Amino acid sequence: MKISIFPTVLPLPKSKEEKHQQSKRASQCEVIEISTEDELASAVSSYAWSPFIFANNKRLSSNFIATDMLVYDVDDGMRIEQAEAIIAQAKLTALCLPSTSHTEEHHKFRIIMPLARTITNAGVYASTWSKGAELFGVVDEQTKDLGRFYFGCRQEECGFWLEGDFFAPVIPTEPPVTYSSTSQYMVNVSDDLQATVTQIYGEKRTKIPESVDFFIKNAHSGLPGKWINAINSAAFSLALSGVEEDVIVSVM
């Protein structure tokens, strides 16, 4: 497991002004290898750090290369013992350490969850982070940023380390493209086209994709200069509408 550290940045600034000043220095980083939970706890307490590995060791979201963990900041709405119960119930591996502004009355803490495998894709990271955030519901959304860095944590007895499964990366899924009756791409089926539409779809339709309507109306007129675009659009629309491949081929 690897993290980036910023050796020239003060890990535990004592004021907002000092945090602001030190943030300006969190640009160039070094990558270190972490093998145990003790090494992880020590690193994130002794340095300003980031869970991300960056190209040229320069901290920019556009330079994201990889990450081995998920990180969540909780500043309000949950106590450490509640987070521990959630992690235990989920049977996950996680390190929790209090933030510098943590008090017994107002719990503020950071949760670090190692991943089952390294993430090297920004989209996979975003979907994985969001899935993990569902466990807690009160995390700081800013920690999702691919250029995020953190100041050090406080090592105290109120934190915890739990061993279980490593959190598995979540592959993002694109929602299926569908046409609805209110879509701007749907048009009414005219009476003269109903027989053809029924033959294509195997049932009567009141609306069809605009590209299919255009294709049917103009398929025998040559469509000079527009034929390729028209046929491609119609074929794609028919496929999205659930028409079988052999029917689409026959229609074309």
Side-chain angles (χ1 to χ4, degrees):
M1 182 165 55
K2 296 178 180 179
I3 65 171
S4 294
I5 61 171
F6 303 87
T8 63
V9 177
L10 190 67
L12 299 172
K14 298 179 180 179
S15 65
K16 289 184 178 180
E17 291 75 16
E18 196 169 50
K19 277 188 175 182
H20 179 68
Q21 292 173 354
Q22 293 297 315
S23 294
K24 297 178 180 178
R25 305 175 65 181
S27 177
Q28 288 297 130
C29 56
E30 298 177 11
V31 177
I32 63 172
E33 189 86 30
I34 302 293
S35 301
T36 68
E37 67 270 20
D38 288 338
E39 289 179 356
L40 178 60
S42 176
V44 300
S45 301
S46 304
Y47 298 100
W49 64 284
S50 173
F52 307 118
I53 307 304
F54 302 99
N56 302 316
N57 285 342
K58 186 172 181 61
R59 185 179 67 87
L60 291 170
S61 58
S62 57
N63 281 356
F64 167 81
I65 292 178
T67 186
D68 288 321
M69 64 190 69
L70 300 174
V71 182
Y72 300 100
D73 271 356
V74 179
D75 293 330
D76 203 8
M78 182 178 289
R79 295 180 64 84
I80 289 177
E81 55 267 26
Q82 292 175 300
E84 185 173 9
I86 291 171
I87 294 293
Q89 184 175 13
K91 298 180 180 181
L92 292 169
T93 295
L95 171 67
C96 174
L97 290 173
S99 303
T100 54
S101 54
H102 169 84
T103 65
E104 180 53 37
E105 295 75 27
H106 190 169
H107 282 206
K108 296 185 178 184
F109 52 95
R110 183 164 299 141
I111 299 169
I112 303 170
M113 298 197 300
L115 291 163
R117 60 183 182 275
T118 301
I119 290 177
T120 57
N121 177 276
V124 174
Y125 168 75
S127 59
T128 305
W129 189 96
S130 296
K131 186 65 176 178
E134 293 176 5
L135 291 169
F136 312 103
V138 292
V139 298
D140 182 357
E141 286 287 331
Q142 294 184 30
T143 58
K144 190 176 183 178
D145 177 28
L146 285 171
R148 181 79 173 184
F149 89 98
Y150 302 91
F151 290 108
C153 298
R154 288 159 46 186
Q155 288 201 58
E156 294 184 1
E157 293 182 358
C158 60
F160 63 82
W161 167 261
L162 292 178
E163 292 188 3
D165 297 328
F166 288 166
F167 199 91
V170 177
I171 305 300
T173 56
E174 293 293 333
V177 179
T178 58
Y179 292 97
S180 68
S181 59
T182 58
S183 170
Q184 62 176 316
Y185 300 107
M186 302 296 287
V187 296
N188 292 322
V189 177
S190 58
D191 291 338
D192 60 322
L193 295 185
Q194 188 58 253
T196 304
V197 170
T198 301
Q199 185 178 7
I200 292 173
Y201 287 96
E203 62 181 7
K204 286 189 175 183
R205 293 273 178 111
T206 59
K207 290 181 179 292
I208 57 174
E210 185 178 25
S211 58
V212 176
D213 179 81
F214 181 83
F215 176 79
I216 294 173
K217 288 179 178 177
N218 296 276
H220 303 290
S221 61
L223 297 174
K226 299 182 180 179
W227 174 251
I228 295 299
N229 287 339
I231 196 170
N232 285 341
S233 296
F236 187 64
S237 296
L238 288 169
L240 290 177
S241 301
V243 178
E244 295 295 331
E245 181 179 358
D246 58 341
V247 177
I248 296 175
V249 172
S250 176
V251 170
M252 295 300 129

